[in-house]
Each structure stands twice: as structure tokens, then as C-alpha cells.
């Protein structure tokens, strides 16, 4: 596939939909091609995520420790997206069901254009925040149902989100320092 085609594939993923084509082409050009044979593990549940994998062709089976098979993914799927932004564990296992080609997007690779082109990073973070929209309602419901500390586990990138978390009843928030890019002092309460 060409860089332009890979960039269009990235654009089809909701978290990249609002990104400028030039930034997506830069990301696609920099991504490392990685092929997997049938049966190879692409990501493994519980391991620390180091990269996201954009499936270019082929299919993989998705599984969790609780269930042997929970689904499948094919071309255009982005596995381990949160790993591009910060330290997290892969939430599931993806195993190639057939020969599979992917574009590997390491955290450093993603963070470079996100820091050099703030509009690119802002577009991705906005999309991730929308993906998690409604989580404040869920947080408030959980807060009213339990007597244990409640964590807001969203992409907190500004002070307003901290205030939202406190208002919704959070006892703690998760900050992905790599995503803050030196703005940590701007979000203190």
C-alpha cells in the first residue's frame, strides 16, 4: 500500500478522522510495517502496550482471559490505540487468523507529530474524549452505588476535566503525563 492509502485508512479510524491529511501521511510514512503469520500474537492481554497496530490486510481473532474468543478484526482496525499515548496494558489478545500485514505506530512515533503539530495532537485527544463521553455519567452512577474510592480513567488534558471529575465524585484521576507534553503545571487545582 502507498503512504497516501495508509493515511486514508488512518482517517477512517474515528480518533484520526479530524486530522489533517499531511499529518496522517507523516504518521503513515513513519510507521513500521510488521507482518504476522497465522497464529502469531499481535498484542497480548495484560502486557504493557508499547505500540498500536493498524491492520492493513488480513484478519485476527480477539480474545480475553475471561472468554476464549470475543470477536475478530480486519483491515482498518487499530489495535492498542491507547498505547500510542501512554503506558497501559493491552486489554485483550489479538492473534493473526491468517497472514496479516500491519503498520506499527510506537508511542514515540505518535508523540513526535503530536508535540510538533499541536493541532494534530489536539484533534486526536478531542476524538478520544468524545469516545469516552458519557463516562462522567457512569462515574456519578458508580459513586452513588459504592463506598470505595472511585477513579476517573479518562484522557485528562486540562484543568476543567479535573474539576469535572471532582464534581462527578471521583476520588482520583489518571494522568498520562506523556500526553500532557509539559502542561502538567497548567492543570493543578
Amino acid at each position: 500500500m502507498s503512504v497516501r492509502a495508509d493515511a486514508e485508512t488512518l482517517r477512517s479510524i474515528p480518533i484520526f478522522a479530524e486530522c489533517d491529511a499531511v499529518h496522517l501521511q507523516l504518521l503513515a510514512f513513519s510507521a513500521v510495517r510488521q507482518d504476522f503469520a497465522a497464529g502469531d500474537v499481535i498484542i497480548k492481554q495484560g502486557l504493557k502496550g508499547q505500540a498500536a497496530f493498524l491492520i492493513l490486510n488480513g484478519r485476527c481473532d480477539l480474545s480475553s482471559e475471561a472468554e476464549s474468543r470475543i470477536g475478530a478484526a480486519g483491515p482498518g482496525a487499530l489495535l492498542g490505540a491507547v498505547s500510542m499515548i501512554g503506558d497501559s496494558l493491552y486489554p485483550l489478545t489479538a492473534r493473526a487468523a491468517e497472514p496479516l500485514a500491519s503498520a506499527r505506530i510506537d508511542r514515540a512515533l505518535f508523540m513526535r507529530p503530536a508535540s510538533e503539530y499541536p493541532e494534530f495532537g489536539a484533534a486526536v485527544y478531542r476524538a478520544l474524549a468524545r469516545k469516552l463521553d458519557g463516562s462522567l455519567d457512569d462515574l456519578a452512577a458508580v459513586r452513588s452505588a459504592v463506598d470505595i474510592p472511585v477513579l476517573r480513567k479518562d484522557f485528562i488534558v486540562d484543568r476543567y476535566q479535573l474539576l469535572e471529575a471532582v464534581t462527578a465524585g471521583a476520588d482520583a484521576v489518571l494522568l498520562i503525563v506523556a500526553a500532557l507534553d509539559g502542561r502538567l503545571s497548567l492543570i493543578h487545582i
Side-chain angles (χ1 to χ4, degrees):
M1 292 185 99
S2 70
V3 168
R4 189 168 288 159
D6 290 354
E8 284 307 310
T9 300
L10 284 169
R11 182 180 299 289
S12 71
I13 299 167
I15 64 170
F16 294 121
E18 296 178 15
C19 295
D20 185 272
V22 172
H23 300 141
L24 293 177
Q25 288 177 2
L26 176 63
L27 193 60
F29 177 76
S30 302
V32 176
R33 302 301 168 133
Q34 190 166 352
D35 295 327
F36 296 91
D40 285 353
V41 173
I42 303 162
I43 63 174
K44 183 165 177 55
Q45 182 178 10
L47 292 183
K48 183 178 174 184
Q50 298 292 321
F53 294 86
L54 172 64
I55 299 177
L56 302 172
N57 61 56
R59 296 217 170 277
C60 66
D61 291 322
L62 307 175
S63 62
S64 71
E65 291 174 359
E67 297 181 44
S68 59
R69 186 172 188 276
I70 57 175
L78 185 64
L79 306 173
V82 175
S83 297
M84 293 185 307
I85 296 167
D87 290 334
S88 66
L89 302 179
Y90 288 126
L92 51 77
T93 296
R95 185 181 301 272
E98 58 190 50
L100 183 143
S102 72
R104 179 186 169 109
I105 305 171
D106 292 309
R107 183 175 309 120
L109 171 69
F110 171 78
M111 293 307 289
R112 183 171 179 191
S115 62
E116 290 179 12
Y117 304 100
E119 63 278 9
F120 169 72
V124 172
Y125 295 133
R126 272 194 312 273
L128 286 169
R130 275 194 309 278
K131 181 178 178 181
L132 298 169
D133 194 25
S135 63
L136 283 176
D137 294 336
D138 296 339
L139 180 82
V142 169
R143 169 77 289 155
S144 66
V146 300
D147 289 327
I148 59 173
V150 176
L151 169 70
R152 180 178 183 187
K153 190 177 175 184
D154 277 343
F155 291 93
I156 306 294
V157 295
D158 64 34
R159 185 171 188 244
Y160 180 77
Q161 291 175 296
L162 286 175
L163 297 172
E164 283 180 327
V166 170
T167 302
D171 297 296
V173 297
L174 174 66
L175 297 177
I176 301 173
V177 176
L180 297 174
D181 188 36
R183 296 178 295 154
L184 188 59
S185 63
L186 299 176
I187 64 170
H188 73 282
I189 293 182

